[in-house]
Amino acid sequence: AQSVSQHNHHVILSEAASLELGCNYSYGGTVNLFWYVQYPGQHLQLLLKYFSGDPLVKGIKGFEAEFIKSKFSFNLRKPSVQWSDTAEYFCAVKAAGNKLTFGGGTRVLVKP
Amino acid sequence: NAGVTQTPKFRILKIGQSMTLQCAQDMNHNYMYWYRQDPGMGLKLIYYSVGAGITDKGEVPNGYNVSRSTTEDFPLRLELAAPSQTSVYFCASSDQTLGYTFGSGTRLTVV
């Protein structure tokens, strides 16, 4: 069965700092990759997705992610975070079928 | 455009009680899902459906049941509530080309 690992459970950083969240998955076939964000008290919202093509994917709110097939990774980045980026971030993989497998999430706290 | 609507938003149950979490979508999506979210564990798939009349188990189906009589609705049933079912429950829908659309969640406490 496929699995998704997010390396950092908690990240604390100051405004304007750069953010990178790691995501690795275990599945040898074709995958679709997603990053979702959950703001406090809200439901999950799609940040960006990778289906095929350019492995560098740009999403909403200045986020981007890079798919590195050889490393089974899909890391999320943002060059300069804002206080409003405080949220929990989930990496997810869709392999066979149409089911998403989620990582455990990374809680990001941005200090003003 | 309502998207995915879940009711109720909050519920407290006593051990052994039963309840149904409602989920409805208005996007004509074939696929629907129920996840539970526990701290540090991400989201775990409980049940899913690929179309009306078709349901299947996910990772953590024990203690739950679902039905899918229409494309729009996908209720989740808890028959004998247990404290281990205290969680936040999210319903989602999708077609095959886009990501999921999630509902706003139901926070359930079993005491």
Side-chain angles (χ1 to χ4, degrees), chain A residues 34 36 38 42-44 46 49 51 88 90 94 98-100 102-105, chain B residues 31 33 35 37 40 42-43 45 48 90 94-97 99-100 102-104:
Chain A
F34 304 81
Y36 283 85
Q38 186 178 30
Q42 297 189 25
H43 62 282
L44 278 77
L46 182 65
K49 61 183 184 287
F51 281 16
E88 190 160 14
F90 294 93
K94 184 173 73 169
N98 204 41
K99 296 176 287 182
L100 283 182
F102 286 85
Chain B
Y31 297 84
Y33 313 84
Y35 285 86
Q37 182 182 24
L43 280 77
L45 182 64
Y48 67 101
F90 286 100
S94 77
D95 62 20
Q96 278 192 295
T97 59
Y100 288 16
F102 283 87
S104 57

PDB file of all heavy atoms in Angstrom, chain A residues 34 36 38 42-44 46 49 51 88 90 94 98-100 102-105, chain B residues 31 33 35 37 40 42-43 45 48 90 94-97 99-100 102-104:
ATOM      1  N   PHE A  34      -0.454  16.196  -4.413  1.00  0.00           N
ATOM      2  CA  PHE A  34      -1.219  17.357  -3.964  1.00  0.00           C
ATOM      3  C   PHE A  34      -0.618  17.913  -2.673  1.00  0.00           C
ATOM      4  O   PHE A  34      -0.064  17.172  -1.861  1.00  0.00           O
ATOM      5  CB  PHE A  34      -2.680  16.972  -3.671  1.00  0.00           C
ATOM      6  CG  PHE A  34      -3.400  16.325  -4.812  1.00  0.00           C
ATOM      7  CD1 PHE A  34      -3.236  14.975  -5.084  1.00  0.00           C
ATOM      8  CD2 PHE A  34      -4.250  17.057  -5.618  1.00  0.00           C
ATOM      9  CE1 PHE A  34      -3.902  14.363  -6.134  1.00  0.00           C
ATOM     10  CE2 PHE A  34      -4.929  16.458  -6.668  1.00  0.00           C
ATOM     11  CZ  PHE A  34      -4.746  15.112  -6.929  1.00  0.00           C
ATOM     12  N   TYR A  36      -2.377  20.264   0.379  1.00  0.00           N
ATOM     13  CA  TYR A  36      -3.567  20.924   0.907  1.00  0.00           C
ATOM     14  C   TYR A  36      -3.160  21.753   2.127  1.00  0.00           C
ATOM     15  O   TYR A  36      -2.216  21.413   2.851  1.00  0.00           O
ATOM     16  CB  TYR A  36      -4.621  19.907   1.339  1.00  0.00           C
ATOM     17  CG  TYR A  36      -5.387  19.296   0.199  1.00  0.00           C
ATOM     18  CD1 TYR A  36      -4.888  18.190  -0.480  1.00  0.00           C
ATOM     19  CD2 TYR A  36      -6.608  19.826  -0.208  1.00  0.00           C
ATOM     20  CE1 TYR A  36      -5.591  17.627  -1.535  1.00  0.00           C
ATOM     21  CE2 TYR A  36      -7.315  19.274  -1.260  1.00  0.00           C
ATOM     22  CZ  TYR A  36      -6.801  18.171  -1.913  1.00  0.00           C
ATOM     23  OH  TYR A  36      -7.505  17.621  -2.963  1.00  0.00           O
ATOM     24  N   GLN A  38      -4.825  23.654   5.684  1.00  0.00           N
ATOM     25  CA  GLN A  38      -5.971  23.751   6.586  1.00  0.00           C
ATOM     26  C   GLN A  38      -5.707  24.887   7.568  1.00  0.00           C
ATOM     27  O   GLN A  38      -4.873  24.751   8.473  1.00  0.00           O
ATOM     28  CB  GLN A  38      -6.192  22.438   7.324  1.00  0.00           C
ATOM     29  CG  GLN A  38      -7.461  22.431   8.162  1.00  0.00           C
ATOM     30  CD  GLN A  38      -7.677  21.091   8.847  1.00  0.00           C
ATOM     31  OE1 GLN A  38      -6.726  20.379   9.173  1.00  0.00           O
ATOM     32  NE2 GLN A  38      -8.928  20.728   9.068  1.00  0.00           N
ATOM     33  N   GLN A  42     -10.795  25.503   9.943  1.00  0.00           N
ATOM     34  CA  GLN A  42     -11.388  25.404   8.615  1.00  0.00           C
ATOM     35  C   GLN A  42     -11.143  24.030   7.991  1.00  0.00           C
ATOM     36  O   GLN A  42     -10.443  23.201   8.542  1.00  0.00           O
ATOM     37  CB  GLN A  42     -10.832  26.507   7.705  1.00  0.00           C
ATOM     38  CG  GLN A  42     -11.177  27.911   8.181  1.00  0.00           C
ATOM     39  CD  GLN A  42     -10.800  28.960   7.159  1.00  0.00           C
ATOM     40  OE1 GLN A  42     -10.712  28.678   5.956  1.00  0.00           O
ATOM     41  NE2 GLN A  42     -10.583  30.175   7.621  1.00  0.00           N
ATOM     42  N   HIS A  43     -11.754  23.828   6.824  1.00  0.00           N
ATOM     43  CA  HIS A  43     -11.554  22.576   6.118  1.00  0.00           C
ATOM     44  C   HIS A  43     -10.330  22.661   5.205  1.00  0.00           C
ATOM     45  O   HIS A  43      -9.725  23.719   5.072  1.00  0.00           O
ATOM     46  CB  HIS A  43     -12.804  22.242   5.305  1.00  0.00           C
ATOM     47  CG  HIS A  43     -13.124  23.251   4.246  1.00  0.00           C
ATOM     48  ND1 HIS A  43     -13.728  24.445   4.519  1.00  0.00           N
ATOM     49  CD2 HIS A  43     -12.906  23.247   2.911  1.00  0.00           C
ATOM     50  CE1 HIS A  43     -13.894  25.127   3.406  1.00  0.00           C
ATOM     51  NE2 HIS A  43     -13.394  24.419   2.417  1.00  0.00           N
ATOM     52  N   LEU A  44      -9.982  21.557   4.616  1.00  0.00           N
ATOM     53  CA  LEU A  44      -8.818  21.510   3.737  1.00  0.00           C
ATOM     54  C   LEU A  44      -9.098  22.208   2.417  1.00  0.00           C
ATOM     55  O   LEU A  44     -10.179  22.061   1.826  1.00  0.00           O
ATOM     56  CB  LEU A  44      -8.417  20.072   3.443  1.00  0.00           C
ATOM     57  CG  LEU A  44      -7.561  19.386   4.499  1.00  0.00           C
ATOM     58  CD1 LEU A  44      -8.421  18.964   5.671  1.00  0.00           C
ATOM     59  CD2 LEU A  44      -6.838  18.186   3.910  1.00  0.00           C
ATOM     60  N   LEU A  46      -7.206  23.116  -1.473  1.00  0.00           N
ATOM     61  CA  LEU A  46      -6.127  22.733  -2.362  1.00  0.00           C
ATOM     62  C   LEU A  46      -5.166  23.897  -2.591  1.00  0.00           C
ATOM     63  O   LEU A  46      -5.575  24.986  -2.970  1.00  0.00           O
ATOM     64  CB  LEU A  46      -6.715  22.278  -3.705  1.00  0.00           C
ATOM     65  CG  LEU A  46      -5.720  21.789  -4.743  1.00  0.00           C
ATOM     66  CD1 LEU A  46      -5.032  20.518  -4.278  1.00  0.00           C
ATOM     67  CD2 LEU A  46      -6.418  21.558  -6.079  1.00  0.00           C
ATOM     68  N   LYS A  49      -1.299  21.140  -7.245  1.00  0.00           N
ATOM     69  CA  LYS A  49      -1.333  19.736  -7.630  1.00  0.00           C
ATOM     70  C   LYS A  49      -0.385  19.499  -8.782  1.00  0.00           C
ATOM     71  O   LYS A  49      -0.106  20.397  -9.572  1.00  0.00           O
ATOM     72  CB  LYS A  49      -2.738  19.289  -7.996  1.00  0.00           C
ATOM     73  CG  LYS A  49      -3.364  20.019  -9.173  1.00  0.00           C
ATOM     74  CD  LYS A  49      -4.788  19.532  -9.397  1.00  0.00           C
ATOM     75  CE  LYS A  49      -5.427  20.169 -10.626  1.00  0.00           C
ATOM     76  NZ  LYS A  49      -5.787  21.579 -10.412  1.00  0.00           N
ATOM     77  N   PHE A  51       0.079  16.667 -11.885  1.00  0.00           N
ATOM     78  CA  PHE A  51      -0.400  15.491 -12.601  1.00  0.00           C
ATOM     79  C   PHE A  51       0.650  15.002 -13.588  1.00  0.00           C
ATOM     80  O   PHE A  51       0.916  13.807 -13.699  1.00  0.00           O
ATOM     81  CB  PHE A  51      -1.709  15.793 -13.345  1.00  0.00           C
ATOM     82  CG  PHE A  51      -2.931  15.776 -12.457  1.00  0.00           C
ATOM     83  CD1 PHE A  51      -2.843  15.829 -11.080  1.00  0.00           C
ATOM     84  CD2 PHE A  51      -4.203  15.720 -13.010  1.00  0.00           C
ATOM     85  CE1 PHE A  51      -3.964  15.817 -10.264  1.00  0.00           C
ATOM     86  CE2 PHE A  51      -5.337  15.709 -12.208  1.00  0.00           C
ATOM     87  CZ  PHE A  51      -5.220  15.758 -10.843  1.00  0.00           C
ATOM     88  N   GLU A  88      -2.002  24.219   8.988  1.00  0.00           N
ATOM     89  CA  GLU A  88      -1.470  22.864   8.876  1.00  0.00           C
ATOM     90  C   GLU A  88      -1.458  22.485   7.403  1.00  0.00           C
ATOM     91  O   GLU A  88      -2.436  22.749   6.685  1.00  0.00           O
ATOM     92  CB  GLU A  88      -2.281  21.866   9.689  1.00  0.00           C
ATOM     93  CG  GLU A  88      -1.621  20.504   9.798  1.00  0.00           C
ATOM     94  CD  GLU A  88      -2.149  19.667  10.955  1.00  0.00           C
ATOM     95  OE1 GLU A  88      -3.198  20.010  11.529  1.00  0.00           O
ATOM     96  OE2 GLU A  88      -1.490  18.658  11.282  1.00  0.00           O
ATOM     97  N   PHE A  90      -0.829  19.560   4.417  1.00  0.00           N
ATOM     98  CA  PHE A  90      -0.898  18.124   4.166  1.00  0.00           C
ATOM     99  C   PHE A  90      -0.467  17.817   2.741  1.00  0.00           C
ATOM    100  O   PHE A  90      -0.973  18.404   1.786  1.00  0.00           O
ATOM    101  CB  PHE A  90      -2.322  17.606   4.355  1.00  0.00           C
ATOM    102  CG  PHE A  90      -2.820  17.678   5.767  1.00  0.00           C
ATOM    103  CD1 PHE A  90      -3.539  18.775   6.197  1.00  0.00           C
ATOM    104  CD2 PHE A  90      -2.580  16.643   6.650  1.00  0.00           C
ATOM    105  CE1 PHE A  90      -3.999  18.854   7.504  1.00  0.00           C
ATOM    106  CE2 PHE A  90      -3.048  16.705   7.956  1.00  0.00           C
ATOM    107  CZ  PHE A  90      -3.761  17.814   8.380  1.00  0.00           C
ATOM    108  N   LYS A  94      -2.279  10.434  -4.930  1.00  0.00           N
ATOM    109  CA  LYS A  94      -3.321   9.616  -5.538  1.00  0.00           C
ATOM    110  C   LYS A  94      -2.659   8.668  -6.523  1.00  0.00           C
ATOM    111  O   LYS A  94      -2.027   9.104  -7.465  1.00  0.00           O
ATOM    112  CB  LYS A  94      -4.348  10.485  -6.260  1.00  0.00           C
ATOM    113  CG  LYS A  94      -5.512   9.692  -6.834  1.00  0.00           C
ATOM    114  CD  LYS A  94      -6.580  10.606  -7.394  1.00  0.00           C
ATOM    115  CE  LYS A  94      -6.160  11.241  -8.694  1.00  0.00           C
ATOM    116  NZ  LYS A  94      -7.278  11.921  -9.378  1.00  0.00           N
ATOM    117  N   ASN A  98      -9.067   6.367  -7.312  1.00  0.00           N
ATOM    118  CA  ASN A  98      -9.195   7.805  -7.139  1.00  0.00           C
ATOM    119  C   ASN A  98      -9.154   8.176  -5.671  1.00  0.00           C
ATOM    120  O   ASN A  98      -9.786   9.139  -5.245  1.00  0.00           O
ATOM    121  CB  ASN A  98     -10.505   8.277  -7.783  1.00  0.00           C
ATOM    122  CG  ASN A  98     -10.444   9.743  -8.175  1.00  0.00           C
ATOM    123  OD1 ASN A  98      -9.438  10.212  -8.668  1.00  0.00           O
ATOM    124  ND2 ASN A  98     -11.515  10.460  -7.928  1.00  0.00           N
ATOM    125  N   LYS A  99      -8.382   7.433  -4.872  1.00  0.00           N
ATOM    126  CA  LYS A  99      -8.322   7.681  -3.440  1.00  0.00           C
ATOM    127  C   LYS A  99      -7.037   8.415  -3.095  1.00  0.00           C
ATOM    128  O   LYS A  99      -5.966   8.089  -3.587  1.00  0.00           O
ATOM    129  CB  LYS A  99      -8.366   6.356  -2.679  1.00  0.00           C
ATOM    130  CG  LYS A  99      -9.654   5.581  -2.847  1.00  0.00           C
ATOM    131  CD  LYS A  99      -9.557   4.248  -2.143  1.00  0.00           C
ATOM    132  CE  LYS A  99      -8.642   3.302  -2.898  1.00  0.00           C
ATOM    133  NZ  LYS A  99      -8.564   1.981  -2.247  1.00  0.00           N
ATOM    134  N   LEU A 100      -7.171   9.413  -2.223  1.00  0.00           N
ATOM    135  CA  LEU A 100      -6.004  10.138  -1.743  1.00  0.00           C
ATOM    136  C   LEU A 100      -5.476   9.508  -0.459  1.00  0.00           C
ATOM    137  O   LEU A 100      -6.252   9.171   0.430  1.00  0.00           O
ATOM    138  CB  LEU A 100      -6.365  11.596  -1.453  1.00  0.00           C
ATOM    139  CG  LEU A 100      -6.513  12.556  -2.622  1.00  0.00           C
ATOM    140  CD1 LEU A 100      -6.815  13.956  -2.113  1.00  0.00           C
ATOM    141  CD2 LEU A 100      -5.274  12.570  -3.488  1.00  0.00           C
ATOM    142  N   PHE A 102      -3.024  10.573   2.632  1.00  0.00           N
ATOM    143  CA  PHE A 102      -2.478  11.795   3.201  1.00  0.00           C
ATOM    144  C   PHE A 102      -1.280  11.513   4.097  1.00  0.00           C
ATOM    145  O   PHE A 102      -1.213  10.478   4.766  1.00  0.00           O
ATOM    146  CB  PHE A 102      -3.538  12.511   4.044  1.00  0.00           C
ATOM    147  CG  PHE A 102      -4.606  13.194   3.239  1.00  0.00           C
ATOM    148  CD1 PHE A 102      -5.714  12.496   2.803  1.00  0.00           C
ATOM    149  CD2 PHE A 102      -4.485  14.541   2.911  1.00  0.00           C
ATOM    150  CE1 PHE A 102      -6.698  13.115   2.040  1.00  0.00           C
ATOM    151  CE2 PHE A 102      -5.471  15.171   2.153  1.00  0.00           C
ATOM    152  CZ  PHE A 102      -6.571  14.452   1.723  1.00  0.00           C
ATOM    153  N   GLY A 103      -0.369  12.464   4.134  1.00  0.00           N
ATOM    154  CA  GLY A 103       0.657  12.456   5.145  1.00  0.00           C
ATOM    155  C   GLY A 103       0.083  12.924   6.470  1.00  0.00           C
ATOM    156  O   GLY A 103      -1.074  13.334   6.551  1.00  0.00           O
ATOM    157  N   GLY A 104       0.908  12.856   7.522  1.00  0.00           N
ATOM    158  CA  GLY A 104       0.443  13.195   8.859  1.00  0.00           C
ATOM    159  C   GLY A 104       0.267  14.679   9.109  1.00  0.00           C
ATOM    160  O   GLY A 104      -0.255  15.070  10.157  1.00  0.00           O
ATOM    161  N   GLY A 105       0.711  15.503   8.180  1.00  0.00           N
ATOM    162  CA  GLY A 105       0.538  16.944   8.332  1.00  0.00           C
ATOM    163  C   GLY A 105       1.722  17.617   9.005  1.00  0.00           C
ATOM    164  O   GLY A 105       2.437  17.003   9.804  1.00  0.00           O
TER     165      GLY A 105
ATOM    166  N   TYR B  31     -17.345  10.554  -7.368  1.00  0.00           N
ATOM    167  CA  TYR B  31     -16.579  10.035  -6.247  1.00  0.00           C
ATOM    168  C   TYR B  31     -16.877  10.822  -4.979  1.00  0.00           C
ATOM    169  O   TYR B  31     -16.869  12.049  -4.975  1.00  0.00           O
ATOM    170  CB  TYR B  31     -15.076  10.109  -6.532  1.00  0.00           C
ATOM    171  CG  TYR B  31     -14.630   9.271  -7.687  1.00  0.00           C
ATOM    172  CD1 TYR B  31     -14.711   9.744  -8.996  1.00  0.00           C
ATOM    173  CD2 TYR B  31     -14.110   8.000  -7.481  1.00  0.00           C
ATOM    174  CE1 TYR B  31     -14.299   8.969 -10.062  1.00  0.00           C
ATOM    175  CE2 TYR B  31     -13.683   7.227  -8.544  1.00  0.00           C
ATOM    176  CZ  TYR B  31     -13.788   7.717  -9.824  1.00  0.00           C
ATOM    177  OH  TYR B  31     -13.369   6.942 -10.875  1.00  0.00           O
ATOM    178  N   TYR B  33     -16.135  10.588  -0.469  1.00  0.00           N
ATOM    179  CA  TYR B  33     -15.244   9.986   0.514  1.00  0.00           C
ATOM    180  C   TYR B  33     -15.610  10.471   1.921  1.00  0.00           C
ATOM    181  O   TYR B  33     -16.077  11.587   2.093  1.00  0.00           O
ATOM    182  CB  TYR B  33     -13.795  10.402   0.246  1.00  0.00           C
ATOM    183  CG  TYR B  33     -13.361  10.293  -1.183  1.00  0.00           C
ATOM    184  CD1 TYR B  33     -13.633  11.320  -2.086  1.00  0.00           C
ATOM    185  CD2 TYR B  33     -12.678   9.179  -1.645  1.00  0.00           C
ATOM    186  CE1 TYR B  33     -13.235  11.233  -3.409  1.00  0.00           C
ATOM    187  CE2 TYR B  33     -12.270   9.086  -2.966  1.00  0.00           C
ATOM    188  CZ  TYR B  33     -12.556  10.118  -3.839  1.00  0.00           C
ATOM    189  OH  TYR B  33     -12.166  10.021  -5.143  1.00  0.00           O
ATOM    190  N   TYR B  35     -13.436  10.839   5.514  1.00  0.00           N
ATOM    191  CA  TYR B  35     -12.169  10.753   6.222  1.00  0.00           C
ATOM    192  C   TYR B  35     -12.393  11.135   7.680  1.00  0.00           C
ATOM    193  O   TYR B  35     -13.283  11.924   7.997  1.00  0.00           O
ATOM    194  CB  TYR B  35     -11.145  11.730   5.639  1.00  0.00           C
ATOM    195  CG  TYR B  35     -10.551  11.321   4.319  1.00  0.00           C
ATOM    196  CD1 TYR B  35     -11.182  11.635   3.121  1.00  0.00           C
ATOM    197  CD2 TYR B  35      -9.334  10.654   4.257  1.00  0.00           C
ATOM    198  CE1 TYR B  35     -10.621  11.276   1.910  1.00  0.00           C
ATOM    199  CE2 TYR B  35      -8.765  10.289   3.050  1.00  0.00           C
ATOM    200  CZ  TYR B  35      -9.411  10.607   1.880  1.00  0.00           C
ATOM    201  OH  TYR B  35      -8.852  10.252   0.682  1.00  0.00           O
ATOM    202  N   GLN B  37     -10.037  12.808  10.872  1.00  0.00           N
ATOM    203  CA  GLN B  37      -8.779  13.500  11.113  1.00  0.00           C
ATOM    204  C   GLN B  37      -8.493  13.491  12.609  1.00  0.00           C
ATOM    205  O   GLN B  37      -9.289  14.015  13.396  1.00  0.00           O
ATOM    206  CB  GLN B  37      -8.835  14.947  10.613  1.00  0.00           C
ATOM    207  CG  GLN B  37      -7.531  15.696  10.789  1.00  0.00           C
ATOM    208  CD  GLN B  37      -7.603  17.143  10.334  1.00  0.00           C
ATOM    209  OE1 GLN B  37      -8.673  17.742  10.290  1.00  0.00           O
ATOM    210  NE2 GLN B  37      -6.474  17.714   9.968  1.00  0.00           N
ATOM    211  N   GLY B  40      -1.961  14.783  14.454  1.00  0.00           N
ATOM    212  CA  GLY B  40      -0.699  14.143  14.109  1.00  0.00           C
ATOM    213  C   GLY B  40      -0.825  12.927  13.208  1.00  0.00           C
ATOM    214  O   GLY B  40       0.186  12.328  12.833  1.00  0.00           O
ATOM    215  N   GLY B  42      -2.857  12.892  10.299  1.00  0.00           N
ATOM    216  CA  GLY B  42      -3.358  13.216   8.978  1.00  0.00           C
ATOM    217  C   GLY B  42      -4.813  12.798   8.839  1.00  0.00           C
ATOM    218  O   GLY B  42      -5.560  12.754   9.811  1.00  0.00           O
ATOM    219  N   LEU B  43      -5.209  12.479   7.650  1.00  0.00           N
ATOM    220  CA  LEU B  43      -6.576  12.036   7.378  1.00  0.00           C
ATOM    221  C   LEU B  43      -6.551  10.567   6.991  1.00  0.00           C
ATOM    222  O   LEU B  43      -5.739  10.149   6.175  1.00  0.00           O
ATOM    223  CB  LEU B  43      -7.201  12.847   6.243  1.00  0.00           C
ATOM    224  CG  LEU B  43      -7.742  14.230   6.598  1.00  0.00           C
ATOM    225  CD1 LEU B  43      -6.619  15.239   6.737  1.00  0.00           C
ATOM    226  CD2 LEU B  43      -8.733  14.693   5.551  1.00  0.00           C
ATOM    227  N   LEU B  45      -8.840   7.375   5.502  1.00  0.00           N
ATOM    228  CA  LEU B  45     -10.049   7.103   4.719  1.00  0.00           C
ATOM    229  C   LEU B  45     -10.903   6.055   5.412  1.00  0.00           C
ATOM    230  O   LEU B  45     -10.423   4.957   5.726  1.00  0.00           O
ATOM    231  CB  LEU B  45      -9.641   6.636   3.317  1.00  0.00           C
ATOM    232  CG  LEU B  45     -10.768   6.340   2.341  1.00  0.00           C
ATOM    233  CD1 LEU B  45     -11.556   7.621   2.036  1.00  0.00           C
ATOM    234  CD2 LEU B  45     -10.213   5.757   1.049  1.00  0.00           C
ATOM    235  N   TYR B  48     -15.457   5.010   0.889  1.00  0.00           N
ATOM    236  CA  TYR B  48     -15.565   5.833  -0.299  1.00  0.00           C
ATOM    237  C   TYR B  48     -16.587   5.229  -1.248  1.00  0.00           C
ATOM    238  O   TYR B  48     -17.020   4.082  -1.081  1.00  0.00           O
ATOM    239  CB  TYR B  48     -14.209   6.011  -0.992  1.00  0.00           C
ATOM    240  CG  TYR B  48     -13.629   4.756  -1.597  1.00  0.00           C
ATOM    241  CD1 TYR B  48     -13.717   4.515  -2.966  1.00  0.00           C
ATOM    242  CD2 TYR B  48     -12.962   3.830  -0.808  1.00  0.00           C
ATOM    243  CE1 TYR B  48     -13.168   3.368  -3.528  1.00  0.00           C
ATOM    244  CE2 TYR B  48     -12.422   2.682  -1.354  1.00  0.00           C
ATOM    245  CZ  TYR B  48     -12.517   2.454  -2.715  1.00  0.00           C
ATOM    246  OH  TYR B  48     -11.977   1.323  -3.264  1.00  0.00           O
ATOM    247  N   PHE B  90     -14.430  14.503   7.882  1.00  0.00           N
ATOM    248  CA  PHE B  90     -14.547  15.302   6.662  1.00  0.00           C
ATOM    249  C   PHE B  90     -15.102  14.436   5.536  1.00  0.00           C
ATOM    250  O   PHE B  90     -14.634  13.320   5.299  1.00  0.00           O
ATOM    251  CB  PHE B  90     -13.184  15.843   6.229  1.00  0.00           C
ATOM    252  CG  PHE B  90     -12.691  16.967   7.088  1.00  0.00           C
ATOM    253  CD1 PHE B  90     -11.759  16.735   8.077  1.00  0.00           C
ATOM    254  CD2 PHE B  90     -13.159  18.259   6.892  1.00  0.00           C
ATOM    255  CE1 PHE B  90     -11.304  17.772   8.878  1.00  0.00           C
ATOM    256  CE2 PHE B  90     -12.711  19.302   7.688  1.00  0.00           C
ATOM    257  CZ  PHE B  90     -11.785  19.060   8.676  1.00  0.00           C
ATOM    258  N   SER B  94     -15.041  14.311  -5.587  1.00  0.00           N
ATOM    259  CA  SER B  94     -14.129  14.647  -6.680  1.00  0.00           C
ATOM    260  C   SER B  94     -14.629  14.044  -7.989  1.00  0.00           C
ATOM    261  O   SER B  94     -15.425  13.100  -7.995  1.00  0.00           O
ATOM    262  CB  SER B  94     -12.720  14.131  -6.389  1.00  0.00           C
ATOM    263  OG  SER B  94     -12.632  12.741  -6.616  1.00  0.00           O
ATOM    264  N   ASP B  95     -14.138  14.591  -9.089  1.00  0.00           N
ATOM    265  CA  ASP B  95     -14.205  13.844 -10.337  1.00  0.00           C
ATOM    266  C   ASP B  95     -12.802  13.289 -10.561  1.00  0.00           C
ATOM    267  O   ASP B  95     -11.954  13.385  -9.681  1.00  0.00           O
ATOM    268  CB  ASP B  95     -14.694  14.716 -11.491  1.00  0.00           C
ATOM    269  CG  ASP B  95     -13.765  15.886 -11.767  1.00  0.00           C
ATOM    270  OD1 ASP B  95     -12.578  15.849 -11.366  1.00  0.00           O
ATOM    271  OD2 ASP B  95     -14.220  16.852 -12.377  1.00  0.00           O
ATOM    272  N   GLN B  96     -12.536  12.718 -11.686  1.00  0.00           N
ATOM    273  CA  GLN B  96     -11.248  12.037 -11.836  1.00  0.00           C
ATOM    274  C   GLN B  96     -10.113  12.966 -12.214  1.00  0.00           C
ATOM    275  O   GLN B  96      -8.966  12.579 -12.178  1.00  0.00           O
ATOM    276  CB  GLN B  96     -11.362  10.925 -12.873  1.00  0.00           C
ATOM    277  CG  GLN B  96     -11.957   9.658 -12.307  1.00  0.00           C
ATOM    278  CD  GLN B  96     -11.805   8.494 -13.261  1.00  0.00           C
ATOM    279  OE1 GLN B  96     -12.382   8.513 -14.346  1.00  0.00           O
ATOM    280  NE2 GLN B  96     -11.044   7.495 -12.872  1.00  0.00           N
ATOM    281  N   THR B  97     -10.437  14.205 -12.575  1.00  0.00           N
ATOM    282  CA  THR B  97      -9.388  15.062 -13.099  1.00  0.00           C
ATOM    283  C   THR B  97      -8.930  16.118 -12.108  1.00  0.00           C
ATOM    284  O   THR B  97      -7.838  16.641 -12.242  1.00  0.00           O
ATOM    285  CB  THR B  97      -9.875  15.784 -14.368  1.00  0.00           C
ATOM    286  OG1 THR B  97     -11.040  16.558 -14.049  1.00  0.00           O
ATOM    287  CG2 THR B  97     -10.220  14.774 -15.444  1.00  0.00           C
ATOM    288  N   GLY B  99      -8.661  17.804  -7.993  1.00  0.00           N
ATOM    289  CA  GLY B  99      -8.470  17.419  -6.608  1.00  0.00           C
ATOM    290  C   GLY B  99      -9.812  17.302  -5.908  1.00  0.00           C
ATOM    291  O   GLY B  99     -10.857  17.497  -6.488  1.00  0.00           O
ATOM    292  N   TYR B 100      -9.731  16.976  -4.664  1.00  0.00           N
ATOM    293  CA  TYR B 100     -10.939  16.826  -3.870  1.00  0.00           C
ATOM    294  C   TYR B 100     -11.499  18.177  -3.446  1.00  0.00           C
ATOM    295  O   TYR B 100     -10.751  19.130  -3.248  1.00  0.00           O
ATOM    296  CB  TYR B 100     -10.636  16.066  -2.588  1.00  0.00           C
ATOM    297  CG  TYR B 100     -10.360  14.595  -2.708  1.00  0.00           C
ATOM    298  CD1 TYR B 100     -10.052  13.989  -3.912  1.00  0.00           C
ATOM    299  CD2 TYR B 100     -10.393  13.804  -1.566  1.00  0.00           C
ATOM    300  CE1 TYR B 100      -9.791  12.632  -3.973  1.00  0.00           C
ATOM    301  CE2 TYR B 100     -10.131  12.445  -1.610  1.00  0.00           C
ATOM    302  CZ  TYR B 100      -9.836  11.865  -2.825  1.00  0.00           C
ATOM    303  OH  TYR B 100      -9.588  10.531  -2.874  1.00  0.00           O
ATOM    304  N   PHE B 102     -13.526  19.491  -0.175  1.00  0.00           N
ATOM    305  CA  PHE B 102     -13.872  19.029   1.170  1.00  0.00           C
ATOM    306  C   PHE B 102     -15.022  19.831   1.746  1.00  0.00           C
ATOM    307  O   PHE B 102     -15.187  21.015   1.451  1.00  0.00           O
ATOM    308  CB  PHE B 102     -12.666  19.171   2.104  1.00  0.00           C
ATOM    309  CG  PHE B 102     -11.635  18.114   1.903  1.00  0.00           C
ATOM    310  CD1 PHE B 102     -10.630  18.271   0.963  1.00  0.00           C
ATOM    311  CD2 PHE B 102     -11.654  16.944   2.650  1.00  0.00           C
ATOM    312  CE1 PHE B 102      -9.672  17.297   0.758  1.00  0.00           C
ATOM    313  CE2 PHE B 102     -10.707  15.964   2.464  1.00  0.00           C
ATOM    314  CZ  PHE B 102      -9.712  16.135   1.515  1.00  0.00           C
ATOM    315  N   GLY B 103     -15.796  19.157   2.597  1.00  0.00           N
ATOM    316  CA  GLY B 103     -16.766  19.851   3.416  1.00  0.00           C
ATOM    317  C   GLY B 103     -16.081  20.493   4.605  1.00  0.00           C
ATOM    318  O   GLY B 103     -14.877  20.349   4.810  1.00  0.00           O
ATOM    319  N   SER B 104     -16.862  21.217   5.398  1.00  0.00           N
ATOM    320  CA  SER B 104     -16.302  21.984   6.508  1.00  0.00           C
ATOM    321  C   SER B 104     -16.076  21.147   7.763  1.00  0.00           C
ATOM    322  O   SER B 104     -15.529  21.644   8.732  1.00  0.00           O
ATOM    323  CB  SER B 104     -17.206  23.169   6.824  1.00  0.00           C
ATOM    324  OG  SER B 104     -18.511  22.708   7.102  1.00  0.00           O
TER     325      SER B 104
END
